[in-house]
């Protein structure tokens, strides 16, 4: 069984940057593909910032930072990823965008290379045909923030081979993460439970059950969550939560997955959460203030 040596990461956003960081830190030469030079620079900066924070907290040594940075490359041309043994896709939650990428990659990747999607809510089998290698396609679902979250859901489809799953499990363990197996159904295990929770928090706000701050404080202090639901939604990205909810609603036709109107309004207003500087909270001040949501 061929070992995974080189890793290609598609997308250097929130998740792609985190995945590339942990892959490089674990010793895998890792190439990140972004769609512009400016986004390549942004991805590199965000990794450098996280590593610097890790050093500040005594969790990362300077040697580990240097090793991670030496293993990273940022490119815009897909061809520069051709020698990867494993491709991890972390681009926008949009089936068409992902499948366009898979079919382009299939033409340049080695026949034995594995394709893994970090999708939150799409089924992996919906990408298997475009990948041209249904036996070497699976889901590797990381959690945000990737350097701190221990879990990876490993998702095999009805066509994934045993060898592909084994190679992927070994890779996840080599990153120092804990793999769990999840069925190829929309939301896998964690988002099946977490997405309705985020949606319910927005509905609670819409029906004036409590303020943003009090609902957040309630779940932190009353249920022991590390962050309240609005901080979490801001953290994940409102555009991403909206797309996930739409996909899960289309799949299950259950109102518990339907994106609430407030979420849609905020996305249309460009309030995407922490990554855009404003979501349920406004991050232009420290500590962040609750945004004016026109409620
Ligand atoms: N590098 C390395 N280690 C770091 C670090 C860094 N840059 N920054 C912090 N750490 C370490 C800290 O030292 C600490 O370690 P110890 O516990 O050993 O002391 C640990 O990481 C946690 O750090 P903090 O306690 O300072 O941070 P925190 O308390 O603010 O927690 C958090 C941060 C881990 C993000 C926590 O708030 C949390 O778990 N939030 C919930 C996140 C969550 O639910 N994510 C899932 C989102 S949904 C998803 O991802 C799926 C999807 O498809 C949408
Ligand atoms: P993001 O908005 O931070 O980044 C999106 C990435 O997609 C960027 O790198 C962007 O350049 C790229 N992109 C956009 N349009 C593209 C196109 N047409 N072709 C190629 N690339 C394109 O998003 P993210 O939060 O990193 O999410 C990426 C994936 O990871 C999604 O599938 C999402 O569901 C999943 N995910 C997100 C989280 C989270 O908490 N944000 C957690 C787990 C999984």
């Amino acid at each position: 069984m061929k070992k995974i040596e080189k890793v290609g990461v598609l997308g250097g956003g929130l998740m792609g940057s985190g995945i590339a960081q942990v892959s490089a830190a674990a010793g895998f030469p890792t190439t990140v593909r972004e769609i512009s030079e400016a986004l390549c620079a942004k991805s590199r900066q965000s990794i450098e910032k996280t590593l610097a924070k890790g050093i500040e907290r005594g969790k990362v040594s300077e040697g580990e930072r240097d090793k991670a940075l030496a293993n990273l490359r940022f490119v815009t041309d897909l061809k520069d990823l051709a020698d990867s043994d494993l491709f991890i896709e972390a681009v926008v939650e949009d089936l068409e965008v992902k499948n366009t990428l898979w079919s382009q990659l299939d033409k340049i990747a080695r026949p034995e290379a594995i394709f893994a999607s970090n999708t939150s809510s799409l089924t992996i089998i919906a990408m298997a045909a475009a990948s041209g290698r249904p036996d070497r396609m699976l889901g590797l679902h990381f959690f945000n923030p990737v350097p701190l979250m221990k879990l990876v859901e490993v998702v095999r489809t009805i066509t994934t081979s045993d060898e592909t799953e084994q190679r992927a499990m070994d890779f996840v363990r080599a990153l120092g993460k804990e793999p769990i197996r999840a069925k190829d159904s929309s939301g896998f295990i964690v988002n099946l439970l977490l997405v309705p929770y985020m949606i319910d928090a927005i509905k609670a706000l819409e029906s004036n059950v409590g303020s943003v701050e009090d609902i957040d404080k309630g779940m932190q202090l009353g249920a022991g969550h590390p962050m309240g639901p609005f901080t979490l939604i801001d953290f994940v990205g409102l555009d991403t939560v909206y797309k996930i909810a739409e996909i899960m609603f289309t799949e299950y036709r259950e109102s518990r997955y339907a994106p609430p109107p407030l979420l849609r309004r905020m996305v249309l207003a460009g309030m995407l959460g922490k990554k855009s500087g404003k979501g349920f909270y406004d991050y232009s001040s420290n500590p962040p203030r609750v945004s004016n949501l026109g409620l």
Side-chain angles (χ1 to χ4, degrees):
M1 192 163 68
K2 194 179 179 314
K3 269 191 73 179
I4 288 164
E5 283 166 9
K6 291 187 180 167
V7 177
V9 177
L10 290 321
L14 275 178
M15 296 304 290
S17 297
I19 294 166
Q21 180 186 325
V22 297
S23 168
F28 297 96
T30 302
T31 306
V32 180
R33 190 268 185 159
E34 255 300 0
I35 50 181
S36 70
E37 294 292 346
L39 288 172
C40 283
K42 197 172 163 201
S43 173
R44 179 193 286 278
Q45 278 159 16
S46 102
I47 294 174
E48 284 172 350
K49 198 170 150 197
T50 312
L51 288 167
K53 230 192 234 171
I55 292 177
E56 234 174 69
R57 291 171 183 236
K59 296 285 168 188
V60 178
S61 71
E62 289 186 6
E64 285 164 340
R65 175 201 56 197
D66 294 345
K67 177 179 151 194
L69 293 176
N71 275 329
L72 280 168
R73 244 182 0 140
F74 297 84
V75 302
T76 52
D77 191 341
L78 271 186
K79 289 196 197 85
D80 291 333
L81 276 73
D83 63 349
S84 305
D85 302 301
L86 169 67
F87 290 83
I88 307 177
E89 166 277 310
V91 304
V92 278
E93 190 71 341
D94 182 306
L95 185 60
E96 222 178 288
V97 174
K98 289 183 193 288
N99 276 342
T100 302
L101 214 48
W102 289 133
S103 53
Q104 289 169 341
L105 275 175
D106 184 40
K107 294 188 185 81
I108 57 163
R110 290 174 178 161
E112 69 277 13
I114 294 178
F115 285 5
S117 175
N118 181 54
T119 180
S120 301
S121 54
L122 293 162
T123 54
I124 306 300
I125 197 68
M127 294 176 241
S131 78
R133 52 188 77 206
D135 57 323
R136 276 149 292 146
M137 170 98 217
L138 85 173
L140 282 182
H141 185 217
F142 290 78
F143 291 81
N144 182 19
V146 180
L148 305 194
M149 304 300 278
K150 284 276 171 228
L151 188 74
V152 179
E153 291 180 304
V154 177
V155 184
R156 68 179 293 169
T157 72
I158 44 177
T159 57
T160 310
S161 70
D162 291 344
E163 183 181 325
T164 300
E165 186 189 37
Q166 192 55 52
R167 290 173 75 194
M169 293 289 265
D170 292 347
F171 172 74
V172 169
R173 291 201 182 95
L175 298 184
K177 304 279 184 206
E178 196 65 50
I180 55 172
R181 287 192 177 86
K183 190 173 134 186
D184 184 26
S185 60
S186 183
F188 314 130
I189 296 172
V190 175
N191 283 341
L192 192 70
L193 305 180
L194 191 60
V195 172
Y197 161 71
M198 293 195 268
I199 290 172
D200 278 348
I202 301 172
K203 286 183 184 163
L205 183 67
E206 284 177 326
S207 41
N208 209 15
V209 170
S211 66
V212 166
E213 279 159 313
D214 283 349
I215 294 173
D216 264 1
K217 200 182 277 179
M219 294 313 291
Q220 270 189 290
L221 304 186
H225 287 209
M227 47 173 68
F230 296 112
T231 307
L232 181 63
I233 296 168
D234 274 359
F235 200 61
V236 169
L238 275 74
D239 50 342
T240 302
V241 174
Y242 180 75
K243 284 188 165 140
I244 295 172
E246 279 267 279
I247 290 165
M248 292 182 77
F249 179 62
T250 305
E251 179 80 11
Y252 296 115
R253 312 283 164 142
E254 287 181 35
S255 60
R256 61 202 298 252
Y257 300 109
L262 175 62
L263 179 62
R264 182 175 164 76
R265 285 208 302 276
M266 291 177 71
V267 172
L268 289 173
M271 298 167 78
L272 307 184
K274 215 170 166 195
K275 68 181 169 188
S276 73
K278 203 174 188 185
F280 288 97
Y281 293 91
D282 182 337
Y283 296 89
S284 61
S285 63
N286 192 11
R289 280 174 285 112
V290 173
S291 301
N292 180 359
L293 302 175
L295 291 171

